[in-house]
Amino acid sequence: MSEEKKIPYKIYLEESEMPTQWYNVRADMKNKPAPLLNPATKKPMSFDELRAVFCDELVRQELDDTTAYFDIPAEIQDFYKMYRPSPLVRAYFLEKALDTPAKIYYKFEGNNTSGSHKLNSAIAQAYYAKKQGLKGVTTETGAGQWGTALSMACSYFDLDCRVYMVKVSYEQKPFRREVMRTYGASVTPSPSETTKVGQKILAEHPGTSGSLGCAISEAVEAATSMEGYRYVLGSVLNQVLLHQSIIGLETKAALKKYDIQPDIIIGCAGGGSNLGGLISPFAGEMLRGEANYRIIAVEPASCPSLTRGRFAYDYCDTGMICPLAKMYTLGSGFIPSSNHAGGLRYHGMSSVVSQLYHDGLMEAVSVEQTQVFKAAEQFARVEGTLPAPESSHAIRVAIDEALKCKETGEEKTIVFGLTGTGYFDMVAYQKYNDGVMTDYIPTDADLQPGFASLPDVE
Ligand SMILES: *Cc1c(COP(=O)(O)O)cnc(C)c1O
């Protein structure tokens, strides 16, 4: 008991203890994630093909399956110092409320203006674009966290930032839009008339409120048709997981400071970047046969790519102009039910996370949104922080695992990723508070059209 008292509520790293390299888990994977394919030829995308869309250095990172560590450039380390290290918090108050013998820790990534972990990769991507001498970057954003993070990163490096924002979010989340504009980004509701693919989608579906896949198509077209611009993406890609490994490396260093050995590591899974970043160093140990952990990916029951999807090559976007990725997917034609308020609505999953899951290195569970918000409410009331709905998926399963420990009396150590804050998600919280939030689990028949949209590869 007295030994336990030594663990502070928040474990911070000194500046001198912060990671100076990112870790690339692909280097330790025996089964490498499948390569991106050219949608026209179905052949692996070459460096030259990819560099028409993405920044050169980011393409190198994307294609590198063998280098285990990448130096974090000094400029990025400096930026990280503004909001990192993020604290690893011992959830003493939650443990007490649950009356569990489990020890719960969470890595909190919400302490920056963008409110989420997405800034970790945004700053890296903006840095490489600037270093290449580009004028600017384009991207899409759904709920707005990625667009906000990227606009902050671009303003730091004085780059033009053009964001295609899913129209329904543009209209329903005006404050996110204004944060982006405050940082100098231009924000266009998608689909728009400014791109050919946007015009086509509007002609086929007049009055559509847009989707992430559609905004991606527009952003890619904009980047490839303007001189000095490239496209950047906030999740799914290998390069993004590489940058997000800062989360797992800091977590590991903080745990080591107090000789804490985790049993269970939990993360929410949308495109897989925070989960991949959190677990990478731990999965690396498992792959090298040095340690064993239970890793759990948590996804919404209404968008269940890992638990009910197919492991197949699929389009990353609606317009089918992006490379094909092999991943657990519901099909690029899948759109979550309109009552879904909890985020994590992308149809596919990072190839790295998909391969690790396929090889049995992690489990996946899906949870219903009312249960997610119940966990969010409980967490907010005892731990103080108002969590993002996305992050609350991980809270849900951390609580469930801690309650199992209460039954069995096991003192397991649980670590989960608290990816962000929920201040811009109050419409979803309002639904929950008003008691009008419902759960919807797609039937097998509901999933069929998405699977039917899968390309015929392999
Ligand atoms: C974007 C986001 C996620 C999901 O994205 P991943 O790439 O799966 O990590 C989770 N939590 C928050 C707060 C986000 O903004």
Side-chain angles (χ1 to χ4, degrees):
M1 218 56 216
S2 62
E3 184 200 354
E4 204 174 298
K5 286 235 166 61
K6 276 188 268 168
I7 297 173
Y9 180 68
K10 282 181 181 170
I11 306 177
Y12 277 108
L13 299 176
E14 301 294 329
E15 229 174 79
S16 60
E17 296 170 316
M18 281 175 65
T20 56
Q21 295 181 310
W22 292 301
Y23 169 64
N24 178 14
V25 69
R26 285 169 285 160
D28 284 310
M29 290 170 72
K30 270 164 230 83
N31 299 327
K32 306 291 182 195
L36 295 170
L37 299 185
N38 181 317
T41 64
K42 312 269 159 63
K43 296 244 159 46
M45 293 288 286
S46 66
F47 177 78
D48 284 327
E49 285 174 315
L50 283 167
R51 67 185 292 247
V53 182
F54 300 105
C55 306
D56 291 0
E57 195 54 39
L58 293 167
V59 174
R60 281 189 200 100
Q61 295 178 353
E62 192 64 30
L63 296 175
D64 192 331
D65 285 347
T66 53
T67 306
Y69 288 93
F70 285 76
D71 288 338
I72 306 174
E75 291 91 332
I76 300 175
Q77 287 191 44
D78 285 346
F79 187 89
Y80 279 167
K81 282 173 196 156
M82 276 198 263
Y83 70 101
R84 308 200 70 80
S86 70
L88 182 71
V89 185
R90 174 76 185 266
Y92 283 117
F93 301 116
L94 180 63
E95 289 170 17
K96 193 162 166 240
L98 298 173
D99 190 23
T100 174
K103 299 176 179 69
I104 309 173
Y105 296 84
Y106 57 92
K107 180 73 168 162
F108 180 47
E109 291 291 320
N111 267 333
N112 68 78
T113 295
S114 79
S116 82
H117 65 285
K118 291 202 172 68
L119 193 55
N120 300 334
S121 183
I123 194 64
Q125 299 195 42
Y127 168 79
Y128 291 116
K130 185 69 181 179
K131 205 170 149 229
Q132 197 177 322
L134 298 174
K135 286 184 209 146
V137 293
T138 72
T139 199
E140 76 294 330
T141 197
Q145 288 100 323
W146 169 242
T148 310
L150 188 69
S151 63
M152 289 174 69
C154 285
S155 89
Y156 184 73
F157 285 121
D158 195 21
L159 275 172
D160 187 28
C161 179
R162 306 215 178 166
V163 181
Y164 287 85
M165 186 169 188
V166 178
K167 192 182 275 168
V168 60
S169 303
Y170 182 91
E171 285 159 2
Q172 288 179 1
K173 299 199 170 181
F175 295 145
R176 278 263 178 219
R177 186 179 79 207
E178 292 316 315
V179 180
M180 288 184 253
R181 292 179 62 210
T182 302
Y183 280 93
S186 65
V187 187
T188 307
S190 167
S192 73
E193 296 285 351
T194 66
T195 62
K196 288 201 196 80
V197 64
Q199 290 161 11
K200 181 162 172 267
I201 291 165
L202 282 173
E204 285 167 11
H205 310 277
T208 174
S209 57
S211 72
L212 211 48
C214 163
I216 296 176
S217 301
E218 286 206 272
V220 171
E221 183 186 318
T224 49
S225 57
M226 286 185 297
E227 179 68 30
Y229 281 77
R230 293 292 186 280
Y231 167 70
V232 294
L233 181 62
S235 184
V236 184
L237 295 174
N238 298 338
Q239 55 187 275
V240 183
L241 267 74
L242 175 70
H243 308 145
Q244 294 296 356
S245 70
I246 189 82
I247 304 173
L249 292 164
E250 279 185 10
T251 301
K252 207 156 189 309
L255 290 171
K256 199 167 163 236
K257 260 182 121 159
Y258 290 90
D259 285 322
I260 304 159
Q261 191 63 17
D263 298 298
I264 307 175
I265 303 167
I266 302 167
C268 65
S273 75
N274 87 80
L275 173 74
L278 172 66
I279 68 162
S280 274
F282 300 96
E285 286 183 292
M286 289 170 78
L287 289 161
R288 297 189 302 271
E290 298 165 4
N292 212 6
Y293 305 101
R294 241 185 103 199
I295 297 175
I296 310 175
V298 190
E299 60 184 14
S302 53
C303 191
S305 52
L306 285 170
T307 51
R308 293 175 70 196
R310 303 253 170 93
F311 189 41
Y313 268 106
D314 192 14
Y315 299 100
C316 295
D317 62 324
T318 312
M320 302 177 181
I321 57 178
C322 289
L324 299 173
K326 187 168 180 190
M327 54 188 178
Y328 277 86
T329 179
L330 297 164
S332 62
F334 177 81
I335 295 175
S337 149
S338 59
N339 85 345
H340 175 66
L344 309 174
R345 43 174 58 245
Y346 189 61
H347 65 272
M349 184 59 60
S350 133
S351 291
V352 172
V353 168
S354 293
Q355 189 66 50
L356 291 172
Y357 175 61
H358 198 68
D359 291 342
L361 270 98
M362 73 171 88
E363 305 163 27
V365 293
S366 71
V367 289
E368 293 172 31
Q369 64 178 359
T370 51
Q371 292 305 310
V372 167
F373 278 83
K374 203 170 171 184
E377 178 187 75
Q378 183 170 20
F379 183 85
R381 289 181 185 182
V382 295
E383 287 289 324
T385 299
L386 181 79
E390 292 89 343
S391 323
S392 305
H393 288 72
I395 300 176
R396 173 74 271 158
V397 172
I399 290 177
D400 290 348
E401 288 297 327
L403 290 175
K404 280 185 208 160
C405 289
K406 185 179 174 178
E407 274 173 31
T408 60
E410 286 173 290
E411 289 186 28
K412 285 192 179 150
T413 296
I414 300 169
V415 175
F416 72 90
L418 188 72
T419 50
T421 53
Y423 305 124
F424 287 106
D425 299 289
M426 296 325 290
V427 174
Y429 273 97
Q430 183 181 12
K431 268 193 190 166
Y432 176 75
N433 292 333
D434 288 344
V436 296
M437 178 175 279
T438 54
D439 291 317
Y440 177 77
I441 303 177
T443 63
D444 287 343
D446 292 333
L447 296 180
Q448 217 39 55
F451 293 140
S453 72
L454 287 173
D456 198 10
V457 185
E458 272 185 341

